[in-house]
């Protein structure tokens, strides 16, 4: 039987980049083997925090990343009968006890500054189930539990550091630690691959697993564990939802290529052989081994991700690039549109043929697809909007810029409308006014595109056409004298 792995997110918010990395590494393990199984299990048993829309968010983000599942998405909540049965079996076999201690009573008994956790008060009281009795697992006081972690090696925990943790609330609700183990047993999971923050849960879950082997009479081998390294920001601090851009969805919506994002995620704790970091997906799948994942914190470097996305975009053929731009330039047209991203033109103004001719001018110049609309907007909009600072600098507050526009308006009426001829004409009329080519281009660029940065000017003028280009020179002059 091949490896059976699961990605088990709780639907409590945006799809964190750390979750995306966990999903990817599980998927790698499943796809690396000829007969691996990748399971998506939504751990939706925390009613106070889980929301249905986040489930859809997880499913959508995984589809974007291309992480196809072999089983699921299943819901942890659907397995409630199995959780209840396991609870009964553990209780009947003597692994659990009822506890009616309130948090207040516990706090009073312990006083201030004591070690955290439950003091075992009810362990030998022999309580029966009551209206407010939780069920606690009786942890051993002696010995150690060793987690054989594929990434970290053996991690030892002294058993007396574990409190008798709650496995079911007085309401009967089974808590995460047990539900997760029961589901892993039911799904015949062979490898538990998840973030480092779960390492301390592993020994408790191993205890539960082994107790269930006895209590249920079904003896199953423990899964292998692999806890993936923490993701940190530039200051080497754990990524924080508040401070750091951690939502996978936002990278999708900004137009990072999924292929680039996946390649980047793969490097968070792992690296392909050789010097190349940009490698095809098939190579990553082929080379990936949990044993090669590092346990040191991995820097989530948004600059590197941005750079990598640019490399992936440049590696697209022009046709692929035009296709990929679809959702950004034709909202509503594709199967999916980036949320809240509307290009600066209306659908009437957009011209797909013109975009196909414009695309080569920006293909090499963007790192994300989201940068495209602003860069090419001037081709499509009927009413140009100007970057005010750029306008003032190159035209509004610059008499020379205005003079140049006036001359250009005359001269360009009969210049052949081709890039080399436009280059020569603008070079020449600039020189006549003592301006080098760059300086001479500035007011023209701003008049025609609304800004001082953008795609190459002469090619842009050609594509925009003589009539529209000259009309814009005229408009800019009027605007400057208004
Ligand atoms: N539901 C847990 C979480 O979202 C994952 C638990 C696990 O992978 O074992 O963090």
């Amino acid at each position: 039987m091949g490896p059976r792995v699961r990605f088990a997110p709780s639907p409590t918010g945006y799809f964190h980049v750390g979750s995306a990395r966990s999903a990817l590494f599980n998927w790698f393990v499943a796809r690396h083997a000829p007969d691996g199984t990748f399971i998506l299990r939504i751990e939706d048993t925390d009613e106070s925090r889980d929301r249905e829309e986040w489930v859809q968010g997880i499913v959508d983000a995984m589809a974007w990343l291309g992480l196809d599942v072999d089983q699921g998405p299943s819901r942890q909540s659907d397995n409630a009968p199995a959780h209840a049965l396991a609870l009964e079996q553990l209780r009947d076999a003597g692994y659990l006890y009822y506890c009616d201690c309130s948090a207040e009573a516990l706090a009073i008994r312990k006083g201030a500054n004591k070690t955290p956790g439950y003091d075992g008060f009810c362990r030998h009281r022999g309580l029966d189930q009551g209206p407010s009795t939780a069920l606690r697992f009786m942890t051993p006081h002696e010995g150690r539990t060793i987690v054989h972690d594929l990434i970290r090696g053996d991690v030892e925990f002294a058993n007396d550091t574990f409190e008798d943790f709650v496995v079911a609330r007085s309401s009967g609700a089974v808590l995460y630690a047990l539900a997760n183990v029961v589901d892993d047993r039911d799904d015949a999971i062979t490898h538990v691959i998840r973030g480092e923050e779960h390492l301390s849960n592993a020994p408790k879950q191993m205890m539960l697993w082994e107790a269930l082997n006895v209590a249920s009479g079904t003896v199953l081998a423990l899964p292998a564990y692999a806890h993936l390294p923490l993701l940190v920001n530039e200051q080497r601090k754990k990524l924080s939802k508040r401070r750091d851009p951690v939502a996978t969805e936002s990278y999708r919506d900004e137009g990072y290529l999924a292929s680039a994002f996946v390649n980047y995620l793969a490097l968070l704790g792992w690296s392909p052989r050789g010097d190349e970091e940009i490698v095809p997906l098939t190579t990553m799948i082929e080379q990936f081994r949990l044993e090669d994942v590092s346990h040191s914190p991995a820097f989530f470097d948004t600059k590197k991700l941005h750079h990598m996305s640019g490399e992936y975009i440049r590696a697209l053929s022009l046709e692929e690039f035009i296709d990929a731009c679809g959702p950004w330039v034709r909202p509503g047209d594709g199967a999916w549109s980036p949320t809240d991203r509307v290009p600066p033109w209306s659908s009437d103004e957009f011209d797909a043929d013109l975009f196909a001719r414009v695309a080569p001018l920006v293909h090499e110049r963007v790192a994300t697809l989201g940068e495209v609309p602003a860069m090419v907007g001037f081709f499509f909009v009927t009413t140009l909007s100007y970057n005010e600072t750029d306008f003032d600098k190159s035209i509004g507050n610059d008499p020379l810029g205005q003079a140049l526009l006036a001359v250009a308006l005359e001269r360009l009426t009969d210049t052949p409308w081709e890039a080399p001829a436009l280059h020569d004409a603008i070079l020449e009329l600039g020189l006549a006014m003592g301006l080098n080519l760059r300086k001479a281009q500035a007011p023209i660029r701003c008049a025609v595109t609304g800004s001082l940065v953008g795609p190459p000017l002469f090619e842009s003028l050609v594509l925009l056409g003589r009539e529209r280009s000259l009309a814009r020179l005229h408009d800019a002059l009027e605007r400057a004298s208004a």
Side-chain angles (χ1 to χ4, degrees):
M1 194 182 76
R4 292 178 59 83
V5 295
R6 86 303 194 271
F7 171 53
S10 306
T12 56
Y14 287 112
F15 194 54
H16 194 285
V17 291
S19 297
R21 195 260 321 251
S22 293
L24 177 66
F25 283 21
N26 274 285
W27 185 82
F28 274 157
V29 168
R31 295 294 170 258
H32 176 87
D35 49 359
T37 305
F38 179 51
I39 298 169
L40 172 58
R41 181 172 78 221
I42 307 290
E43 299 210 315
D44 61 345
T45 38
D46 184 349
E47 277 172 17
S48 60
R49 297 176 64 216
D50 300 335
R51 289 218 316 256
E52 193 54 34
E53 67 195 85
W54 300 127
V55 176
Q56 195 54 45
I58 292 165
V59 170
D60 290 348
M62 286 179 64
W64 176 62
L65 295 172
L67 306 181
D68 57 322
V69 303
D70 304 308
Q71 195 181 308
S74 63
R75 307 280 179 135
Q76 183 152 70
S77 54
D78 287 343
N79 210 20
H83 305 152
L85 176 65
L87 194 67
E88 226 177 271
Q89 291 169 332
L90 287 174
R91 186 199 55 199
D92 293 351
Y95 286 100
L96 310 180
Y97 62 89
Y98 285 108
C99 164
D100 65 358
C101 297
S102 64
E104 294 79 15
L106 184 59
I108 292 167
R109 276 208 304 279
K110 291 171 55 143
N113 301 324
K114 291 274 169 60
T115 43
Y118 184 63
D119 61 0
F121 182 75
C122 292
R123 193 171 186 157
H124 302 293
R125 287 175 71 205
L127 291 181
D128 283 329
Q129 184 170 17
S132 54
T133 49
L135 271 169
R136 289 186 182 272
F137 183 78
M138 222 180 280
T139 56
H141 285 160
E142 287 101 43
R144 298 179 255 285
T145 301
I146 300 172
V147 180
H148 302 290
D149 191 284
L150 292 174
I151 296 171
R152 279 145 220 280
D154 286 357
V155 187
E156 273 194 30
F157 294 84
N159 288 338
D160 61 8
T161 58
F162 297 108
E163 62 169 337
D164 288 349
F165 54 91
V166 174
V167 289
R169 290 210 185 89
S170 54
S171 64
V174 172
L175 296 189
Y176 153 75
L178 178 57
N180 182 269
V181 167
V182 171
D183 292 354
D184 282 349
R185 290 169 64 89
D186 286 358
D187 287 333
I189 296 303
T190 58
H191 297 70
V192 168
I193 305 161
R194 57 189 179 185
E196 178 179 282
E197 66 275 15
H198 286 291
L199 180 60
S200 60
N201 289 327
K204 292 191 248 176
Q205 295 184 310
M206 289 167 66
M207 290 173 193
L208 287 169
W209 190 292
E210 274 159 356
L212 278 168
N213 276 349
V214 177
S216 71
T218 307
V219 179
L220 298 173
L222 280 168
Y225 289 95
H227 290 92
L228 307 175
L230 203 65
L231 299 187
V232 295
N233 64 17
E234 210 156 13
Q235 288 87 43
R236 303 277 142 187
K237 293 215 180 81
K238 183 175 188 269
L239 286 190
S240 120
K241 272 192 188 177
R242 253 183 325 105
R243 273 193 322 256
D244 302 304
V246 295
T248 301
E249 292 89 336
S250 69
Y251 292 96
R252 177 193 62 195
D253 291 357
E254 281 171 34
Y256 285 78
L257 288 192
S259 49
F261 196 75
V262 163
N263 193 155
Y264 182 70
L265 284 179
L267 303 180
L268 296 172
W270 178 78
S271 43
R273 274 174 237 142
D275 297 331
E276 280 301 312
E277 289 199 312
I278 297 190
V279 290
L281 186 62
T282 47
T283 307
M284 290 191 274
I285 292 171
E286 197 181 287
Q287 293 186 357
F288 187 84
R289 285 174 0 123
L290 284 170
E291 290 78 358
D292 297 336
V293 174
S294 152
H295 56 79
S296 331
F299 172 29
F300 185 72
D301 183 350
T302 48
K303 287 198 195 83
K304 183 167 167 181
L305 168 59
H306 191 255
H307 175 78
M308 201 171 237
S309 178
E311 302 253 330
Y312 267 85
I313 286 185
R314 285 188 287 281
L316 295 177
S317 70
L318 181 60
E319 218 166 76
E320 290 168 331
F321 174 66
I322 292 172
D323 226 42
C325 286
W328 277 266
V329 299
R330 290 191 310 260
D333 231 31
W336 165 81
S337 298
T339 22
D340 302 332
R341 265 164 206 274
V342 182
W345 52 80
S346 70
S347 47
D348 290 344
E349 288 172 320
F350 184 67
D351 174 345
D353 292 335
L354 177 57
F355 180 69
R357 281 177 284 137
V358 163
L361 304 186
V362 294
H363 185 185
E364 305 277 316
R365 289 182 167 72
V366 294
T368 66
L369 301 171
E371 293 162 32
V372 172
M375 220 174 249
V376 303
F378 69 91
F379 283 107
F380 303 107
V381 295
T382 323
T383 314
L384 190 65
S385 58
Y386 301 88
N387 173 315
E388 292 300 338
T389 316
D390 287 357
F391 185 87
D392 289 347
K393 186 172 160 204
S394 60
I395 303 169
N397 297 334
D398 184 2
L400 214 51
Q402 292 173 31
L404 187 130
L405 287 185
V407 178
L409 204 45
E410 303 254 304
R411 277 289 314 277
L412 299 185
T413 45
D414 52 12
T415 305
W417 210 251
E418 288 151 12
L422 287 166
H423 166 275
D424 293 351
I426 292 169
L427 174 70
E428 207 175 292
L429 62 92
L431 287 180
M433 300 175 70
L435 299 172
N436 64 21
L437 181 62
R438 199 176 56 83
K439 287 241 164 78
Q441 282 190 71
I444 296 180
R445 179 189 289 284
C446 187
V448 169
T449 73
S451 130
L452 286 173
V453 288
L457 179 62
F458 310 117
E459 286 80 356
S460 298
L461 290 171
V462 171
L463 290 174
L464 193 64
R466 189 194 307 268
E467 203 183 315
R468 291 179 80 195
S469 300
L470 295 186
R472 287 193 181 170
L473 299 189
H474 181 261
D475 290 350
L477 271 177
E478 285 218 318
R479 191 172 196 263
S481 58

